[in-house]
């Protein structure tokens, strides 16, 4: 097993490098980069960016340079940036230098990778904050959503899937399947909007807060009140994510149990006179739960970094999902690439942990003899 882990760890580097190369080229080719965002803000054209000009350019210099009657060069009409017509070339060059676009694309890439190896993600273009500190600041919100959602999904899906497998074809199996189908058909973000309308002051009840992870006076509350306030704020976001996540895992659990229940070793165990509960949880459970439990790391990553995006936006939770969304809108490349690098690395590591869990749950699974 150790040799397999070492091989998998060795593959992390080229895999991560390849992902970064592809995404770097795709994003560089996409229109509306940070330079164009800044130009849009200066000229008040297009979508207004949230950027602030820093460095060697102050507001007066921007005003003078952007003034159509001041220092306009005819050559600016040939600018490679949209909306740059009427701006002097020296201003465009200064903005490119501010964002590092005065260097060739390959130099920018290798400079970025060299910093990322040291976990130096640089500064956000539009927040004037270190990217690493920014990610750490937003992490608690997303981790809260990810942990509670994953735990609740597993706590609901595994018992329900086992019960459905044991009672396959019964009335309980049929009506619970209807609930599962509805839960799987309704998108999580749509259910989140429904919860807001019904329970968060949208139209009917005003039982739950609409934004934030805690109240503004959270620091002044007692320990018990802080815990209560925390769960009060996170109840609706987590519930909306659980609805969309438990359906597929429930059916996976049921199908896994049905497959194992019909195998010969289960028939033999029953023939020996073992109680049904001992057969179910002493023999079937370990084999049936192999796929379900071993997939916990990847399920957590999926919920943490993808499933929470729309939920954070809808409930105004200042987490990684909302951070990534704003970074994409503003073309904040340091935040975008740092998030991609960090999350991809974590996902690759979680994949290895998932394989290790397979071996721990069932030692008969031997990865040593398999080629990566």
């Amino acid at each position: 097993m150790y040799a397999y882990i070492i091989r998998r760890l060795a593959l992390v580097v080229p895999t991560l490098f390849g992902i970064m190369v592809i995404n770097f080229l795709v994003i560089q080719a996409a229109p509306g980069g940070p330079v164009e965002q800044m130009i849009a803000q200066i000229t008040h054209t297009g979508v207004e960016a949230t950027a602030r000009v820093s460095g060697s350019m102050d507001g007066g210099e921007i005003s003078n340079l952007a003034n159509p009657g001041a220092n306009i060069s005819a050559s600016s009409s040939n600018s490679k940036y949209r909306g740059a017509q009427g701006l002097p070339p020296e201003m465009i060059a200064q903005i490119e230098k501010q964002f590092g676009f005065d260097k060739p694309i390959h130099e920018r890439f290798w400079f970025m990778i060299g910093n990322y190896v040291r976990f130096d993600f640089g500064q956000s273009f539009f927040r004037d904050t270190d990217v690493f500190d920014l990610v750490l600041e937003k992490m608690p919100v997303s981790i809260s959503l990810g942990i509670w959602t994953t735990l609740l999904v597993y706590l609901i899906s595994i018992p329900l899937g086992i019960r459905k497998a044991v009672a396959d074809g019964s009335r309980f199996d049929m009506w619970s399947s209807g609930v599962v189908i509805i839960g799987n058909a309704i998108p999580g973000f749509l259910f989140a909007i429904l919860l807001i309308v019904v329970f968060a002051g949208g139209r009917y009840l005003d039982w739950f807060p609409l934004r934030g992870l805690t109240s503004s006076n959270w620091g002044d509350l007692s320990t018990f009140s802080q815990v209560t306030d925390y769960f009060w704020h996170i109840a609706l976001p987590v519930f909306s994510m659980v609805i969309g996540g438990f359906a597929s895992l429930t059916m996976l659990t049921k199908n896994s149990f049905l497959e194992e229940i019909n195998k010969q070793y289960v028939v033999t165990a029953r023939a020996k006179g073992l109680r049904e509960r001992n057969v179910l949880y002493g023999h079937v459970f370990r084999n049936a739960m192999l796929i379900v439990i071993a997939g916990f790391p990847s399920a957590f990553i999926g919920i943490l970094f993808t499933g929470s995006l729309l939920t954070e936006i809808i409930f105004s939770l200042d987490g990684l999902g909302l951070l990534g969304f704003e970074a994409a809108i503003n073309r904040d490349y340091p935040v975008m690439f740092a998030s991609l690098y960090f999350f991809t690395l974590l996902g690759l590591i979680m994949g290895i942990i998932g394989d290790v869990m397979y071996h721990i749950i069932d030692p008969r699974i031997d990865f040593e003899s398999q080629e990566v």
Side-chain angles (χ1 to χ4, degrees):
M1 190 63 185
Y2 291 107
Y4 172 79
I5 295 175
I6 292 174
R7 293 200 303 270
R8 286 293 302 272
L9 288 174
L11 280 176
V12 167
V13 176
T15 303
L16 181 61
F17 181 80
I19 292 173
M20 294 300 297
V21 169
I22 293 173
N23 283 273
F24 185 85
L25 294 176
V26 170
I27 293 177
Q28 295 296 320
V35 175
E36 292 181 351
Q37 291 279 347
M38 181 63 71
I39 292 173
Q41 185 190 25
I42 294 172
T43 59
H44 303 288
T45 60
V47 179
E48 183 178 358
T50 59
R52 296 189 305 274
V53 178
S54 60
S56 60
M57 299 177 64
D58 56 28
E61 290 174 318
I62 293 175
S63 177
N64 292 333
L65 288 173
N67 187 350
N71 301 323
I72 294 181
S73 171
S75 62
S76 64
S77 60
N78 297 324
S79 174
K80 60 183 177 180
Y81 300 108
R82 293 185 302 176
Q85 288 76 14
L87 296 181
E90 56 269 21
M91 180 183 185
I92 303 299
Q94 199 162 358
I95 296 176
E96 287 180 331
K97 184 176 181 180
Q98 176 184 341
F99 292 116
F101 279 72
D102 57 328
K103 300 179 177 63
I105 185 173
H106 65 279
E107 289 188 17
R108 299 202 308 269
F109 176 76
W110 287 113
F111 180 77
M112 180 187 73
I113 291 297
N115 288 336
Y116 283 10
V117 170
R118 304 190 302 271
F119 284 89
D120 177 10
F121 300 121
Q123 292 256 336
S124 168
F125 281 163
F126 303 124
R127 290 175 180 258
D128 294 332
T129 306
D130 188 79
V131 173
F132 189 80
D133 294 337
L134 195 59
V135 171
L136 289 181
E137 178 187 343
K138 312 299 182 183
M139 187 74 76
V141 174
S142 296
I143 287 181
S144 294
L145 290 176
I147 288 178
W148 291 116
T149 301
T150 307
L151 288 178
L152 286 177
V153 164
Y154 270 77
L155 288 175
I156 295 172
S157 300
I158 291 178
L160 180 59
I162 295 174
R163 181 73 177 88
K164 286 175 62 62
V166 174
D168 184 40
S170 67
R171 182 175 299 178
F172 171 82
D173 182 43
M174 287 187 289
W175 71 257
S176 60
S177 294
V179 174
V180 169
I181 291 173
I182 294 174
N184 193 40
I186 300 178
F189 73 90
L190 187 61
F191 194 77
I193 296 175
L194 176 63
L195 291 176
I196 291 175
V197 171
V198 177
F199 297 108
R203 173 169 293 186
Y204 300 102
L205 305 174
D206 192 9
W207 290 354
F208 294 91
L210 185 57
R211 62 176 61 243
L213 199 60
T214 56
S215 299
S216 57
N217 64 335
W218 189 80
D220 300 328
L221 301 176
S222 64
T223 302
F224 177 78
S225 298
Q226 286 180 341
V227 174
T228 304
D229 182 77
Y230 167 75
F231 283 108
W232 181 47
H233 279 77
I234 207 172
L236 292 186
V238 169
F239 188 47
S240 68
M241 294 175 66
V242 168
I243 290 298
F246 89 100
S248 58
L249 187 60
T250 298
M251 298 309 298
L252 177 61
T253 303
K254 176 188 175 181
N255 294 334
S256 297
F257 263 78
L258 284 177
E259 182 180 357
E260 293 296 324
I261 286 175
N262 296 322
K263 288 187 176 180
Q264 186 61 41
Y265 75 91
V266 178
V267 177
T268 303
R270 287 171 175 165
K272 290 181 179 180
L274 294 178
R275 295 168 53 189
E276 186 65 22
R277 185 178 182 83
N278 292 337
V279 173
L280 191 62
Y281 291 98
H283 294 76
V284 177
F285 184 84
R286 182 173 184 175
N287 294 327
M289 286 294 97
L290 178 61
I291 296 177
V292 177
I293 298 177
F296 183 88
S298 59
F300 174 71
I301 291 296
I303 293 174
L304 179 60
F305 299 127
T306 58
S308 64
L309 171 58
L310 291 176
T311 301
E312 290 182 13
I313 295 174
I314 292 172
F315 287 97
S316 299
L317 297 173
D318 197 11
L320 294 174
L322 186 59
L323 175 66
F325 174 76
E326 292 178 348
I329 292 297
N330 292 325
R331 300 299 194 271
D332 195 343
Y333 286 174
V335 176
M336 293 173 62
F337 288 123
S339 301
L340 175 68
Y341 179 87
F342 179 74
F343 298 155
T344 303
L345 178 61
L346 187 58
L348 293 172
I349 298 299
M350 283 297 182
I352 299 175
I353 294 176
D355 289 346
V356 173
M357 289 186 66
Y358 273 108
H359 180 73
I360 293 175
I361 295 171
D362 190 351
R364 294 173 300 175
I365 297 179
D366 182 19
F367 292 102
E368 294 286 353
S369 58
Q370 301 181 14
E371 294 294 334
V372 180

